[in-house]
Amino acid sequence: VVLGVAAGATAQQNALQTAATALGAGTIRTLQFTGSGANFSVGQNYTASEAWPRVTVKQYTAAINYDTASMRVELLREMGAVMPRGGGAPFFGEQRQVQIVSGDLAWNAPPAGAQGQPTAQPGAALERRLALWSTPVGFVKAALANQATTKRAGQNTEVSFTVGGRYRMTGVVSPQGYVERVTTWIDHPIVGDMPVVTTYSGYKDFGGVLSPKNAWPILVYGLPTLATRMVNQQKTASHV
């Protein structure tokens, strides 16, 4: 029995190494991926029974440097002639956003060719930093660096650890080494201690980078805040 328990624990620890190998976490230092989908205004639904207000995201590009814990996200959002019911900053037509985090600092930058100065976003630093470590490669890197614990979850392996000494992260890794779900928690000014659940599916080889085509971060009550489908990924990330 003791040998069986030890073998099971070893297999669960090996699951993290399998994920590192499958996703290239040991060799990937920078990563860029692009896609499209929609995002939603958290906690701004018109009534409690309605979804959060939805905005189409025509293009989503994230460039990540895992060595420096930096990420630059560019979104091209589009609003129709009628705003969705609820809150959220109003706009019509197309809107470009550039959101950046580097270590403990976060700021928004004007889009290329636009006038303006970068504006500090200290309240967004934690959310953006945890989003970086919630990517499949980022999660595996953070797990290996923060003495993660593992346990069996059906045919999968559950991996848990804390980053920054206090922020919990839990993920589910398949037998093939694919990160299928990542959960963390953020203190949100509207909804309080907010669980952030990101699920990944449809893994594909993007020219040597094995990554999911679909990513759905879901926050509180199962309502989505960002739904994207990836169309391209590459190891070299620019503008980070």
Side-chain angles (χ1 to χ4, degrees):
V1 175
V2 173
L3 290 176
V5 171
T10 300
Q12 292 156 24
Q13 288 294 339
N14 287 343
L16 195 53
Q17 292 297 331
T18 298
T21 301
L23 302 178
T27 59
I28 291 177
R29 300 174 63 185
T30 61
L31 186 65
Q32 177 172 298
F33 52 91
T34 58
S36 61
N39 65 358
F40 303 76
S41 300
V42 177
Q44 298 294 317
N45 42 339
Y46 188 73
T47 67
S49 62
E50 293 184 56
W52 293 326
R54 180 187 188 278
V55 179
T56 297
V57 177
K58 295 178 66 176
Q59 185 172 7
Y60 176 93
T61 302
I64 301 172
N65 186 318
Y66 292 109
D67 287 350
T68 61
S70 303
M71 179 170 67
R72 176 189 178 99
V73 174
E74 298 189 36
L75 302 99
L76 175 58
R77 308 200 309 160
E78 183 178 52
M79 181 68 70
V82 180
M83 290 278 297
R85 299 205 312 170
F91 75 96
F92 295 99
E94 292 186 345
Q95 179 192 66
R96 292 185 180 272
Q97 296 180 338
V98 180
Q99 304 170 354
I100 303 171
V101 63
S102 184
D104 295 330
L105 302 177
W107 65 96
N108 292 347
Q115 296 183 344
Q117 298 294 323
T119 56
Q121 301 290 323
L126 175 60
E127 178 183 353
R128 296 178 187 181
R129 191 163 65 249
L130 291 178
L132 184 158
W133 296 122
S134 291
T135 62
V137 170
F139 179 81
V140 174
K141 282 180 173 287
L144 291 172
N146 289 279
Q147 300 179 327
T149 61
T150 60
K151 67 178 182 179
R152 181 175 296 175
Q155 296 298 314
N156 299 323
T157 299
E158 183 179 284
V159 180
S160 301
F161 57 93
T162 60
V163 292
R166 58 180 295 191
Y167 303 111
R168 293 179 294 152
M169 301 194 75
T170 299
V172 174
V173 179
S174 74
Q176 295 78 25
Y178 302 162
V179 177
E180 296 185 343
R181 184 174 71 247
V182 176
T183 302
T184 187
W185 290 261
I186 297 174
D187 185 18
H188 191 275
I190 296 176
V191 297
D193 191 18
M194 182 175 67
V196 182
V197 182
T198 309
T199 60
Y200 298 102
S201 62
Y203 273 79
K204 175 184 176 181
D205 188 339
F206 289 91
V209 181
L210 185 64
S211 296
K213 293 189 297 181
N214 304 324
W216 286 70
I218 301 176
L219 290 74
V220 186
Y221 311 125
L223 298 178
T225 61
L226 175 67
T228 58
R229 182 177 180 85
M230 301 306 161
V231 297
N232 183 53
Q233 302 194 51
Q234 60 190 55
K235 289 185 179 180
T236 302
S238 58
H239 306 300
V240 185

